[in-house]
Amino acid sequence: MGGELRAQDAAVGVGGQAGTGAMSAVGHELAEKVGGLLAGGEVRMFLGYGAGRTALRVRPRHVLRPEGAAGLVWNEFCAPSLAKYLLDEQEEEGRVGVLVKTCDLRAMKRLVADRRVDRGRVLLVGVGCAGVVDAGKVEALLVEPVVEAGVQDGKLVLQTRSGVRELPREEYLLERCLHCEDPNPREVDLLVGPEVAPWAARPRDYAEVAEVTAMGAAGRAAYWDRQFARCLRCFACRNVCPACSCRECSLEVWEPMWLPREVSVSEQYMFHFTRAFHVAGRCVDCGECERVCPVSIPLMKLNRALQKEIQELFGVERPWEPEEKEPLAMYTPDDPDFH
Amino acid sequence: MRRLERKDMRAFLDKLASAASLVAPVREDGVVVFRPVSSGEQVVLDYVNPVRSAKELFFPQTEVMFRFLPSPVAGITPVQPDRQTVLFGIRPCDLAALSLLDEVFLGGDYRDACWARRRELTTLVGMACEQPDESSCFCTAFGITPGTADGADIMLYPAGEWLGVEVLTPRGQALLDRVLSDGAVALGEIGPPGAASQAGAGGGAGEAGDRLQQEYLKRPVRLGDRLRVGDLAKELDDRFDDPYWEEASRRCLGCGICTYLCPTCHCFLVTDVPKRDDGVRLRCWDSCQFKDFLLMAGGHNPRPTKKERTRQRFMHKLNYFVHRYGRYLCTGCGRCVQHCPVGLDMATVIADLRGVSEHV
Amino acid sequence: MPVNWEPRIIGFCCNWCSYAGADLAGTSRLEYPPTVRVIRVPCSGRVNPQFIVRAFQKGADGVLVAGCHPGDCHYSTGNYFTRRRLQVARRFLEYLGIDPRRLRITWVSASEGQKFADTVREMTEEIRVLGPNRVMRDELWAAN
C-alpha cells in the first residue's frame, strides 16, 4: 500500500488503496483492539463483521468474549450497517462497541438524534473505508463461488475454482460509496487502520430521479405499479433502516389499520408512500433499504426524490446529515406557499 | 424422451401460450420472476431460479376465498379460479416444494379447496437445472437433484442445441398433444441423426434419453453435497434449548425475506374485509419472523424474542415437520441463502448445527 | 370515461377556519357542485399525508386540504407545519404518478365562503377534464 498506488487509484476516482493485504492487516488490528476492550470490560459486546459463506459475503457478528474477537474481519465487502442492532441492546447495562464506516456513522447519529440510542452507552470504533463492493452485482456474473477476493491496482480480483477474474472495482461499488465525501469517520472513540485517501465524490445530481420524472404522470404510475407489484412486503427495507426506529410501527398497528395484509397494488402504494415519507428529511442516504431488497425495488429513487424536494423547497443543502434540524418537523413563516 | 430443438423453443412457448394461460420466467428490471406471458419471446431461459417461488401460483400472497353479503340477504359466494394454466420453467426444488405443500393442504382429513383447485387447473412444465448456482443451491442436501422430475407433468432437460422432453402424466400428454396438433412445432427423436429410422436401432433413442436424465440426476450441487442432512431431524430432538439459537438469532433483522421467498413456508392469516355493499374473506401470507405473528389479544406473546422466532423457523423445517409428515420442509432452493441480508439462512444453520463447513 | 361519472373530492377542512368557511358558503346559499365530501379535522396539521393516499385508494378523484391562512392558525403554528409537509407530499405524490391537480391545498378563513365555493368549483372542473383517478386506487372499491 505505497504512496504511488494511492496516487494512481485516486486518479481513477474512488480510492481503493486498501488491498486485501491492507484490509486483513486492519482486521488483525481490529481483533486485537476489540479483544482488549472486551477483556478490560470497556464494552460488554462488540458489533463487527465475521466471514460469510463465500469471499464476497460477510455477516454481522456479535462478539461477547475476548476470544471471539479473532473471528472479526474487515474487507471491501463489509456493507451491512450495524448501528440498528443497538436497538436490541437498550435493556442491558454497559457499553456496546460498534464498528462504523462514515456511512454507518450517519446511521448511528440518526439513532442518537432520534433518542433511540444513548451515545454514552456506545463505543464507536471507526474504520477508514475505501468503498464497499456490491456483492450481489458481482455474484450475478459468476456461477462459481468466489474463494478469495481483494483489490489490486483499482481492480477487483476474484479467485474462483476455475481461475482468476478481474473486474473494474469502481463499477461494482455500492452507489453510496461514489458519493462518499469523507472515507474516514470523524468523532469516533477509537480508530483502527490507516487513514484512507479521499476521492472525488460524485455530487448527488438526482439523475435517477429525473429519469423517473421524465416518464410523465401515466408513465410514472405504470413504472411504480410494476416495481411495487414485485414487493413481498417482507419489511426488510424498514427493518434495516436507521431512520425507521419507532417502538411501535404504524404499519403493524391493528386499530387503525393503516396497512392491511392485502398486497394489492393500492396497498403497496400505501406501504411505500408511508415508508418513504416517514423517513423524509431523516433518511441518511445509506441505501441499505435498496441493498437488502430481495426483488430489487429501486427504493432510493423514492428517498432521493424526497431529498431533492426538500432541498429545492426549503434550501436544506444536505438533508441526509443527521445534524440538520429535521426539515419536516420545523417551519419558517416565509416557506413557499401553494399555488 | 423426445427431442425439442432449441431453435423451436419460442414457437413451442407460443403454442403453450395459445393452449392455456401461460406463466413463465421473465426478466423484469433485471429480476427474474414468474409472470403471465402472451408469447414465447417474453420468456427467459437463462435463469437459475425466479426470485419469487412458484408457490404463489397456488397459494397467492393475497387470496380471495369467498365473497359475503351482509344480512338480511346474507350469503357466501366462493371465489374460484377457473383458468387452465401452464406453469413453464419450474425447477426441481419448487416442484418438490409443491409436493410438500400438498401434504399440508391436501394430505390430512381436510382438503384445502383453494389449493386443490389451483393444483388441478395447472399443468407443470419443469426444467432441469443446467447450471445450479454453486454458492446458494443446495437441493441435494434433501435428496433432490437438478434432474428430479417428481411432480412435473412434462420435464425438459437442456442438452445444448436441443432439450429432452419427457412426458410424465396424462395431463402432460394432453398438453403436448395440443401443442403439437397443428404441426407448427415437431419433436424429434434423440440419438444420432437418423438413428431412429435405422432398423434395429430402436433402443438407441431410449438409451440416449436415459443417459441425459441420469446425467442430471447425478449432477453435483456443491453446497448441497456438503450439507446432506441425514439424521439431523433426530439430532435436533434434544437441541430445543441449545444456546446456538440465541447466538445465531442475534443477527436476525426480523424481516420476512426468508419466509416469503421460501417455496415451502405456508403460514397465513385470514381476515374479513368489509367493502361497500359486500365483503371478502382474504387469506394472506404471514411470517413467523414478524414479532406480532403470535401476539395474542391479551398482550401475551409466546415467541417474544428473536431467539424463539429464529428457532421456530428452523426447527419447524428440520424437526417438527419431519415428525409430522416424515419429510424435511426445505428443498434447498437457495433463495434464503442468496437473499438473507445477514447470512442467517438454511444452509448456514444446517452447517452450524452439523458442525460442517459450508464454504464451497 | 364512465357514463354519469361525477368527480368525487374528499375535503379535509380545519375546524376553526375552513369548516366554518364551508358552512358560510352553505348558509349564504352559494352554489357549488355537490362533488366534495367534507371531513372536519381539528387543524390542517392533523392531515397526515396517509389520509390523502387513503382517500385516493378508496375512490377519491381529488383531495382538498383547507386550513386557516398562515399566521391565523388556532393553534398558532399548525398550518405552518402543514404547509411544509404537504408541499413535499404533493410533489411526492406527483412523482408516484398522481396528477398534482388532484390534490389542492388552500387556505380558507371562516369569512371566505365564496373562496370555498370557488375552490370546489374550479377543482371539480379540472378533475372533470382529467377523468376518474386510477392511480393507487383499490380495485375492490373502484367498481364505479
Side-chain angles (χ1 to χ4, degrees), chain B residues 287-308:
Chain B
S287 169
C288 60
Q289 299 306 296
F290 292 158
K291 60 175 188 258
D292 60 353
F293 180 69
L294 279 194
L295 185 64
M296 309 208 172
H300 177 62
N301 192 339
R303 290 186 208 128
T305 72
K306 294 197 287 191
K307 173 187 132 184
E308 292 87 12

Side-chain angles (χ1 to χ4, degrees), chain A residues 45 51-54 57-62 64-65 80 85 88-89 139 142-147 161 223 226-227 229-236 238-240 247 252 254 261-264 291-296, chain B residues 28-29 31 33 35 51-52 61-62 131-135 222-223 250-257 260-261 269 271 273 275 282 284-287 290-292 306 337-343 345 347-348 358-360:
Chain A
M45 174 193 279
R53 174 172 308 98
T54 71
R57 297 281 181 132
V58 295
R59 286 176 194 152
R61 189 177 164 91
H62 294 63
L64 295 162
R65 286 170 293 275
Y85 287 116
D88 296 336
E89 306 300 331
E139 280 168 354
L142 306 165
V143 180
E144 287 181 347
V146 175
V147 186
R161 209 172 46 247
Y223 176 77
R226 193 178 74 233
Q227 303 298 330
R230 281 202 305 276
C231 176
L232 286 161
R233 205 80 80 60
C234 66
F235 294 124
R238 176 196 65 180
N239 287 17
V240 82
R247 286 186 176 82
E252 276 166 9
W254 282 63
R261 287 291 160 106
E262 301 168 48
V263 289
S264 61
R291 187 182 67 83
V292 300
C293 179
V295 292
S296 305
Chain B
E28 180 186 289
D29 302 298
V31 187
V33 277
R35 285 278 180 261
V51 59
R52 296 183 60 142
Q61 185 158 10
T62 301
Q131 192 68 272
D133 184 85
E134 288 194 21
S135 17
R222 296 178 70 91
L223 185 57
R250 280 181 192 277
R251 67 175 187 268
C252 180
L253 285 177
C255 74
I257 290 181
Y260 281 179
L261 290 184
L269 182 80
T271 49
V273 183
K275 299 282 172 181
L282 298 179
C284 302
W285 289 2
D286 202 350
S287 169
F290 292 158
K291 60 175 188 258
D292 60 353
K306 294 197 287 191
V337 182
Q338 220 172 0
H339 295 284
C340 176
V342 296
D345 53 68
T348 304
E358 52 179 310
H359 297 273
V360 286

Side-chain angles (χ1 to χ4, degrees), chain A:
Chain A
M1 200 190 69
E4 285 160 19
L5 187 54
R6 186 178 298 199
Q8 188 188 334
D9 284 323
V12 293
V14 177
Q17 74 276 31
T20 315
M23 284 286 203
S24 68
V26 177
H28 288 308
E29 186 191 337
L30 175 68
E32 209 167 285
K33 283 190 174 158
V34 169
L37 290 171
L38 286 160
E42 282 179 75
V43 295
R44 65 174 170 84
M45 174 193 279
F46 186 81
L47 297 168
Y49 304 98
R53 174 172 308 98
T54 71
L56 295 181
R57 297 281 181 132
V58 295
R59 286 176 194 152
R61 189 177 164 91
H62 294 63
V63 186
L64 295 162
R65 286 170 293 275
E67 56 275 22
L72 288 171
V73 301
W74 169 249
N75 58 39
E76 40 278 294
F77 304 98
C78 291
S81 163
L82 304 168
K84 197 94 189 274
Y85 287 116
L86 292 168
L87 293 184
D88 296 336
E89 306 300 331
Q90 299 300 294
E91 305 294 316
E92 228 172 302
E93 286 299 307
R95 283 214 291 185
V96 175
V98 55
L99 187 67
V100 289
K101 311 181 284 291
T102 312
C103 46
D104 305 336
L105 187 64
R106 283 204 309 277
M108 188 64 225
K109 287 179 177 171
R110 176 81 268 151
L111 290 164
V112 172
D114 292 345
R115 287 182 227 152
R116 292 292 275 124
V117 166
D118 178 355
R119 176 69 180 85
R121 286 174 56 191
V122 180
L123 187 128
L124 293 178
V125 177
V127 60
C129 170
V132 172
V133 173
D134 185 340
K137 238 191 228 176
V138 177
E139 280 168 354
L141 300 176
L142 306 165
V143 180
E144 287 181 347
V146 175
V147 186
E148 237 181 88
V151 171
Q152 263 163 26
D153 303 338
K155 285 198 202 76
L156 194 57
V157 184
L158 307 166
Q159 174 88 49
T160 65
R161 209 172 46 247
S162 59
V164 177
R165 178 135 182 205
E166 290 188 356
L167 297 172
R169 173 175 169 279
E170 198 171 340
E171 284 170 32
Y172 290 87
L173 290 180
L174 287 177
E175 206 253 353
R176 66 180 175 216
C177 303
L178 305 176
H179 301 297
C180 181
E181 287 159 339
D182 184 359
N184 302 291
R186 316 286 166 184
E187 305 162 59
V188 293
D189 301 308
L190 194 69
L191 269 168
V192 291
E195 181 110 336
V196 171
W199 53 87
R202 287 186 202 164
R204 289 170 173 79
D205 59 2
Y206 300 110
E208 71 281 53
V209 176
E211 228 170 77
V212 177
T213 308
M215 293 173 189
R220 287 193 296 273
Y223 176 77
W224 292 116
D225 274 5
R226 193 178 74 233
Q227 303 298 330
F228 295 162
R230 281 202 305 276
C231 176
L232 286 161
R233 205 80 80 60
C234 66
F235 294 124
C237 50
R238 176 196 65 180
N239 287 17
V240 82
C241 174
C244 266
S245 63
C246 296
R247 286 186 176 82
E248 192 174 42
C249 176
S250 81
L251 303 177
E252 276 166 9
V253 175
W254 282 63
E255 188 61 52
M257 190 181 269
W258 279 109
L259 189 73
R261 287 291 160 106
E262 301 168 48
V263 289
S264 61
V265 172
S266 162
E267 297 297 354
Q268 300 292 37
Y269 271 93
M270 178 56 103
F271 168 50
H272 286 283
F273 176 89
T274 305
R275 189 206 61 78
F277 205 82
H278 190 67
V279 301
R282 301 187 312 114
C283 167
V284 297
D285 203 43
C286 68
E288 283 289 276
C289 50
E290 191 172 298
R291 187 182 67 83
V292 300
C293 179
V295 292
S296 305
I297 297 172
L299 293 161
M300 285 309 286
K301 286 187 185 171
L302 299 175
N303 299 335
R304 289 263 167 80
L306 286 160
Q307 274 178 24
K308 179 169 178 273
E309 285 156 16
I310 287 168
Q311 275 184 343
E312 287 175 4
L313 285 164
F314 314 121
V316 182
E317 272 173 41
R318 301 159 64 77
W320 52 86
E321 291 293 352
E323 282 91 348
E324 292 275 6
K325 183 149 170 42
E326 284 172 28
L328 294 192
M330 61 170 292
Y331 69 90
T332 63
D334 47 1
D335 278 342
D337 216 325
F338 298 96
H339 39 260

Side-chain angles (χ1 to χ4, degrees), chain B residues 59-224:
Chain B
F59 171 46
Q61 185 158 10
T62 301
E63 179 166 38
V64 180
M65 301 171 80
F66 54 78
R67 283 178 190 283
F68 54 81
L69 289 168
S71 57
V73 282
I76 281 173
T77 329
V79 176
Q80 290 218 317
D82 53 6
R83 292 181 66 125
Q84 290 285 342
T85 303
V86 172
L87 174 56
F88 173 88
I90 181 173
R91 296 293 190 188
C93 48
D94 278 12
L95 282 168
L98 293 181
S99 85
L100 283 163
L101 292 180
D102 280 345
E103 301 267 13
V104 178
F105 288 119
L106 307 174
D109 298 334
Y110 174 72
R111 235 176 106 81
D112 186 272
C114 302
W115 174 270
R117 183 87 185 129
R118 286 196 159 85
R119 289 286 272 142
E120 282 158 20
L121 285 169
T122 308
T123 309
L124 300 171
V125 181
M127 179 74 87
C129 302
E130 214 169 357
Q131 192 68 272
D133 184 85
E134 288 194 21
S135 17
S136 61
C137 288
F138 65 111
C139 57
T140 50
F142 298 97
I144 301 157
T145 75
T148 305
D150 299 348
D153 296 301
I154 297 174
M155 192 72 180
L156 303 177
Y157 298 90
E161 290 300 295
W162 53 278
L163 299 99
V165 181
E166 170 103 62
V167 176
L168 293 133
T169 64
R171 183 162 65 179
Q173 188 61 55
L175 176 70
L176 195 62
D177 289 345
R178 263 194 292 167
V179 167
L180 302 178
S181 60
D182 68 354
V185 186
L187 298 184
E189 299 302 324
I190 298 174
S197 58
Q198 282 170 17
E207 273 172 36
D210 287 349
R211 270 203 305 280
L212 177 61
Q213 205 169 5
Q214 281 304 315
E215 193 214 312
Y216 270 103
L217 291 172
K218 290 185 185 138
R219 190 164 285 210
V221 177
R222 296 178 70 91
L223 185 57

